[in-house]
Amino acid sequence: MQSRRVRSRLRVPRIAKLIRTVAVLAAALLVGALPALSTPASAAASYTVFVNERGTNRPTLEQYGSTRSTVVYDVFAFTCDTNGCYSNGGALPTQATYEAKVKEYMGASQFGGAATAPVVLDFESIELTQVATGQTATNAYNLWRQLLTWTHNAAPQAPVCHYGYDWQTRNQDLIKQLHTDNLLNCFAPRAYFNDGQTLASWDSTLDSAIARDRAMAPSHPIYPYVSPTAFPSETYVAGNTWAHMFAQVKAKTEGVVIWEPGADNANACPWISQHSYEMGVITGTSSSGPLKATASLPSGNCTVTRGTTTTVPVTITNTSTSTTAATQMQSFADAPGFSGSWQYWNVPSLAPGASWSTSLPMAIASTQTAGTALLHIRTGVSDTRWAVIVQ
């Protein structure tokens, strides 16, 4: 997971790449609430969505309600054998060197994780389900105790997890002891989708990880790692697949981590639109009101271009069973880098099912930096969420 395109670490498992086939939905602009599997309001109200993002043109999912968290990659190349443990084949780092690296990953130049958000250690070569039993496992366990102690010292407010193959059970007693001693405070199982994998198969793997984790430390939260791309094809998942994944993790865990997501082209439109919907439910800010807005970008999908002004036709439809009172379009100036003034502001009274149209010459500043934008089309009585990809 150190590279956006090379899945060594979180993205490419050491054992086998995650594989699955998901048909990517046709790229089309989706405005407003999309259908998704429902979850209890109480679960949604307490659910936390973390995101690991860094680099330029990132989706900036925090604008949808996510919290930035930290992953620490294995730049030390830790390994263990029956004789001991090593970094890059030699001496282990000092405490000062190790803690400086943790703080670097937490910093703004990397993931910018919140001080109280999870710090996940992605040291797969010494992950205890991945090392041999016996003396090698004992040596790895002792190294974990040292590294976890240093991590807590570097990030005193953060819960610390290790990124793991939690459906596997080798050396489980050693992992359990790390949780019992509160050196590990949370679980971070891999929950990616494989090319060719069925939803039922993905559910089964997630359930196995959760069962194993709950048995070891029932009070420690579980934050599965998910991605909007399939492995190893790098294709974006369909919107209904993202909805299914969210429904499952919301029902069964305390939070989720979206790992280094991308939205590089129109094929990402379905998952970005669905993600907007999911986060609207979780944050209590879903599209609302009797008037639903439908927008049609000239691109024919959900993409817009920096440094341009594009005229967007917008249709307002009364989706309720009652006639709405006359109202007005609201200012379109609450999204950084986006501006525009409606062609027609005054929305007439609309009977049930009736529609009215206007347009918005929408300008996107060349200095706008986010890879996606959560926009709102508001009238005096409604708010429609609108997710776009910025290129």
Side-chain angles (χ1 to χ4, degrees):
M1 119 175 137
Q2 297 184 42
S3 167
R4 184 72 186 93
R5 294 301 172 201
V6 180
R7 294 183 185 269
S8 62
R9 307 300 172 233
L10 283 184
R11 189 164 287 203
V12 179
R14 270 191 324 109
I15 47 174
K17 287 186 178 181
L18 294 170
I19 321 169
R20 90 158 143 90
T21 296
V22 176
V24 177
L25 294 181
L29 177 64
L30 300 179
V31 177
L34 300 180
L37 301 178
S38 61
T39 54
S42 59
S46 60
Y47 201 73
T48 306
V49 178
F50 298 102
V51 63
N52 291 162
E53 283 188 359
R54 59 179 177 168
T56 58
N57 203 38
R58 60 187 183 84
T60 59
L61 295 188
E62 61 265 33
Q63 66 185 298
Y64 300 83
S66 298
T67 298
R68 295 182 71 176
S69 62
T70 300
V71 58
V72 179
Y73 293 130
D74 189 9
V75 295
F76 299 105
F78 291 121
T79 56
C80 295
D81 59 25
T82 57
N83 296 317
C85 295
Y86 320 93
S87 171
N88 290 299
L92 294 171
T94 65
Q95 178 177 355
T97 298
Y98 177 85
E99 290 185 10
K101 185 58 67 175
V102 172
K103 291 176 181 178
E104 177 186 337
Y105 275 116
M106 295 180 72
S109 66
Q110 291 280 347
F111 292 103
T116 57
V119 172
V120 177
L121 306 182
D122 178 27
F123 304 157
E124 294 178 55
S125 292
I126 60 169
E127 205 280 313
L128 287 166
T129 64
Q130 303 303 296
V131 301
T133 58
Q135 188 59 47
T136 298
T138 299
N139 291 338
Y141 168 78
N142 289 331
L143 177 57
W144 272 107
R145 294 191 67 89
Q146 182 179 71
L147 297 177
L148 289 167
T149 299
W150 291 350
T151 304
H152 282 289
N153 193 59
Q157 297 176 272
V160 178
C161 327
H162 78 313
Y163 172 74
Y165 303 77
D166 293 27
W167 60 91
Q168 299 179 4
T169 58
R170 183 162 51 183
N171 298 315
Q172 182 170 320
D173 57 329
L174 299 179
I175 300 172
K176 181 177 181 179
Q177 190 60 51
L178 295 174
H179 283 274
T180 299
D181 294 343
N182 275 318
L183 290 170
L184 285 172
N185 318 112
C186 47
F187 296 93
R190 301 184 319 158
Y192 303 126
F193 237 90
N194 305 346
D195 292 316
Q197 188 176 28
T198 65
L199 294 177
S201 173
W202 183 85
D203 291 350
S204 177
T205 301
L206 177 67
D207 289 345
S208 294
I210 291 171
R212 171 185 175 274
D213 295 346
R214 296 289 188 216
M216 280 197 292
S219 65
H220 285 184
I222 300 172
Y223 303 127
Y225 263 73
V226 299
S227 172
T229 52
F231 303 144
S233 68
E234 300 283 351
T235 55
Y236 292 106
V237 302
N240 57 2
T241 299
W242 198 243
H244 178 90
M245 295 168 75
F246 258 73
Q248 293 297 305
V249 295
K250 283 198 300 181
K252 300 171 181 177
T253 68
E254 288 70 37
V256 68
V257 184
I258 303 173
W259 181 69
E260 295 218 49
D264 303 331
N265 55 62
N267 291 330
C269 289
W271 91 261
I272 282 291
S273 296
Q274 186 66 38
H275 187 71
S276 172
Y277 169 78
E278 300 293 344
M279 294 307 299
V281 173
I282 289 172
T283 60
T285 59
S286 298
S287 295
S288 60
L291 301 180
K292 176 182 178 181
T294 304
S296 301
L297 285 169
S299 62
N301 49 58
C302 77
T303 62
V304 295
T305 304
R306 292 181 181 87
T308 65
T309 297
T310 180
T311 298
V312 184
V314 174
T315 299
I316 304 295
T317 302
N318 180 4
T319 60
S320 74
T321 57
S322 302
T323 298
T324 56
T327 184
Q328 286 189 325
M329 303 300 297
Q330 304 297 300
S331 173
F332 198 81
D334 59 342
F338 287 76
S339 61
S341 180
W342 295 102
Q343 178 188 22
Y344 305 115
W345 288 81
N346 295 317
V347 184
S349 173
L350 294 174
S355 297
W356 171 84
S357 294
T358 184
S359 63
L360 175 71
M362 184 174 68
I364 304 98
S366 59
T367 54
Q368 197 276 350
T369 58
T372 75
L374 175 60
L375 309 175
H376 293 268
I377 302 177
R378 295 189 177 98
T379 70
V381 294
S382 63
D383 178 0
T384 299
R385 295 167 68 96
W386 179 19
V388 298
I389 292 173
V390 187
Q391 298 180 319

